[in-house]
Amino acid sequence: MATRKLTDAHVEALARSRIDVRTAGLGGVESADHFTAYDFGVRAQGGLSGLLFRYWDPIQQRFSKRFVRVKPDAPSPAAKYLQPVGERPRLYFVAGTTASELGADTVPVFITEGEKKALALDRARLELGMDALVVGVGGVWSWRSSPKELQPDGRLGKGKSQPIEDLDWIRWPARDVFLIFDSDVSTNWKVQAAETALASELHRRGARVRISRIPGGASWRK
């Protein structure tokens, strides 16, 4: 996999999240302009520039041709990240993850918020020589289908939210799983609710779930 182009500003931003250029490039991270984002179905009013995260499909062994997420350089409070219109959420797998790794139930799973933290965590576990599967969720509820789904008439509307099928790719029974949400989970009841719901869902699937806490004020950046 060839490395992808990053602006100097984005290189600096990623470095603050403990992600080097090689990790970002191999992970399918690139600097995107309005036209690149638009080609993936990401819509925004006015101009758009930001970091584009390609999503790895461990079954097809390639980057998804349809799903990406973009972190705008100038995000709005209501939209810190953007994704293609009408697409359901996806799990973020580090590029190169294989189907055999998904099924290796002796290997623990680390689930964290956001693509950048997933990349940083994967880099750290490689440096430590740790065997683990790292999975990112774009948002605390992004392991479920969006409450605003594409309706038969083509409009976005409320639908019945269910766990996304990406969860079915991973073998959960008797597997150790560590949930590592952002430090605000300690004070934000909405995040706590999502964490509890995900833990319950994975426990129902047979996983041994553990909750990990990042100390308040830790410099893990979104």
Side-chain angles (χ1 to χ4, degrees):
M1 292 175 285
T3 57
R4 301 179 184 278
K5 184 173 178 58
L6 290 164
T7 65
D8 291 342
H10 287 156
V11 169
E12 293 177 5
L14 289 168
R16 290 194 294 271
S17 296
R18 303 170 189 172
I19 301 169
D20 60 13
V21 172
R22 184 177 185 278
T23 299
L26 294 177
V29 185
E30 63 183 86
S31 298
D33 57 19
H34 183 82
F35 300 103
T36 304
Y38 192 88
D39 286 344
F40 277 100
V42 178
R43 305 289 187 261
Q45 292 183 344
L48 172 66
S49 65
L51 272 173
L52 184 145
F53 295 87
R54 294 176 182 265
Y55 270 54
W56 179 256
D57 186 326
I59 306 302
Q60 299 294 326
Q61 283 293 287
R62 58 173 173 76
F63 287 112
S64 171
K65 295 180 179 180
R66 297 181 58 185
F67 192 86
V68 299
R69 286 220 312 160
V70 177
K71 177 177 173 56
D73 291 331
S76 68
K80 295 181 179 180
Y81 281 81
L82 300 171
Q83 67 185 47
V85 175
E87 289 289 321
R88 62 167 176 77
R90 302 293 306 268
L91 295 182
Y92 181 78
F93 296 99
V94 175
T97 301
T98 64
S100 61
E101 290 175 299
L102 302 183
D105 54 10
T106 58
V107 175
V109 179
F110 295 155
I111 302 178
T112 190
E113 280 188 66
E115 299 86 356
K116 289 204 293 185
K117 281 191 286 297
L119 286 171
L121 183 57
D122 191 65
R123 180 188 178 188
R125 68 99 188 165
L126 287 172
E127 291 175 346
L128 293 171
M130 179 184 298
D131 194 10
L133 173 64
V134 176
V135 180
V137 288
V140 293
W141 287 105
S142 291
W143 53 277
R144 298 183 69 88
S145 59
S146 173
K148 287 190 175 181
E149 299 173 332
L150 194 63
Q151 302 301 302
D153 61 4
R155 294 183 301 172
L156 288 176
K158 291 185 177 180
K160 186 177 181 181
S161 181
Q162 297 290 333
I164 57 177
E165 62 263 30
D166 295 29
L167 287 173
D168 299 334
W169 294 348
I170 301 173
R171 180 172 174 78
W172 299 106
R175 195 162 192 168
D176 290 317
V177 179
F178 297 85
L179 299 186
I180 314 172
F181 278 17
D182 289 351
S183 59
D184 65 346
V185 68
S186 299
T187 56
N188 189 326
W189 70 267
K190 294 181 180 180
V191 179
Q192 291 172 11
E195 180 188 63
T196 299
L198 178 55
S200 297
E201 175 63 28
L202 298 182
H203 178 74
R204 184 185 68 80
R205 293 173 183 243
R208 295 191 292 258
V209 183
R210 294 171 173 82
I211 305 296
S212 299
R213 286 284 184 263
I214 297 176
S219 59
W220 287 53
R221 297 172 181 268
K222 289 186 178 181

